[in-house]
Amino acid sequence: MTAAAIFTRRITVLTGHYGTGKTEFAVNLALSLAAEGKRVMLADLDNVNPYFRSRERKALLEAAGVRLIAASQACLDTDVPALPAELLTVLEDRSVRGVLDTGGDPAGARALARFQPKLLQEDCQLLYVLNANRPEVRTAETAVSCLRAIEQTTGLACSALVNNTHLCGETTAADILWGVDLAEAVSRETGLPVLCHAAEKRLLSGLTGLDAPLFPITIHMKKPWE
């Protein structure tokens, strides 16, 4: 399936506990939509405890035709607790597809609450990204608790779940299948559908018969020593 066929809403907001791989997922989603001919804007709103920042891949994104909006374009290594004014462009220009990479916990998601009235007026989905290898959210109970706290903070209701279980470069198909089990458990607990399972392209052949589509990704966010 194409990215546009999986992610059908105009604006996709990605949230979840920090370390779940939201930024990698956001970069891959933006690049995939652009490759399919969509006008895409990626807003880097992750300003609380970010490990990776999508603005670190500004050159890659812009070369693919993705417009990057970040709190600080000049200081890539600085966390600026403010939202860029250009974010309104994503919300108001209905000819573009917007991808919003938000903070990884209720504190990080608080900035999004400022735009809650506008987001409710748009064709928007809030996706909760899961990584079964994160100790803080590796059970359905803790994952649901984090989800509900984010919803309460933002005033937005989650639309669906994304299984993005990984161990960086050591990820195996077994890790992703473990994430499938967690995503399905959270789905049963919340009634939310599992939208997709993210997996590196090298792992796709070992992942068959899943109820939700696979979303192929390429690792772009590298550690400084890689």
Side-chain angles (χ1 to χ4, degrees):
M1 295 180 67
T2 65
I6 298 173
F7 303 89
T8 58
R9 311 293 288 274
R10 187 179 75 80
I11 297 174
T12 296
V13 182
L14 300 171
T15 190
H17 202 277
Y18 66 86
T20 53
K22 296 185 308 300
T23 295
E24 185 72 78
F25 190 86
V27 168
N28 272 272
L29 176 55
L31 291 172
S32 295
L33 290 170
E36 294 170 10
K38 307 297 183 182
R39 290 185 60 219
V40 184
M41 293 184 182
L42 170 59
D44 179 358
L45 307 180
D46 193 353
N47 296 319
V48 178
N49 296 324
Y51 190 75
F52 291 123
R53 303 168 179 85
S54 55
R55 55 189 182 266
E56 295 172 8
R57 294 296 174 264
K58 180 180 179 180
L60 171 68
L61 291 161
E62 292 186 346
V66 177
R67 178 179 172 186
L68 176 64
I69 298 172
S72 174
Q73 298 287 356
C75 303
L76 296 183
D77 295 325
T78 302
D79 299 330
V80 181
L83 294 180
E86 295 96 324
L87 179 57
L88 289 175
T89 305
V90 180
L91 303 181
E92 295 176 352
D93 187 347
R94 293 177 179 170
S95 69
V96 304
R97 295 290 298 269
V99 179
L100 277 57
D101 179 15
T102 68
D105 55 19
R110 188 169 294 121
L112 196 62
R114 170 184 169 190
F115 294 94
Q116 183 253 22
K118 183 64 177 174
L119 286 167
L120 290 176
Q121 296 174 14
E122 300 301 321
D123 183 26
C124 173
Q125 60 184 350
L126 177 68
L127 302 183
Y128 185 58
V129 180
L130 291 163
N131 180 355
N133 284 315
R134 291 300 301 170
E136 300 88 344
V137 287
R138 71 188 339 163
T139 68
E141 180 181 7
T142 55
V144 171
S145 177
C146 179
L147 166 61
R148 296 310 187 201
I150 290 171
E151 288 182 322
Q152 183 175 11
T153 299
T154 62
L156 299 170
C158 182
S159 304
L161 310 170
V162 170
N163 170 29
N164 192 42
T165 298
H166 66 89
L167 279 173
C168 296
E170 300 179 5
T171 307
T172 66
D175 289 308
I176 296 168
L177 292 174
W178 185 26
V180 170
D181 291 340
L182 175 62
E184 291 178 347
V186 174
S187 177
R188 289 192 296 271
E189 186 76 17
T190 62
L192 295 170
V194 179
L195 186 64
C196 67
H197 304 285
E200 288 183 71
K201 296 173 183 178
R202 64 181 175 86
L203 300 174
L204 296 181
S205 62
L207 301 167
T208 59
L210 302 180
D211 290 338
L214 288 167
F215 178 65
I217 65 171
T218 300
I219 301 300
H220 296 292
M221 308 305 298
K222 303 286 187 180
K223 301 182 181 68
W225 57 86
E226 292 181 321

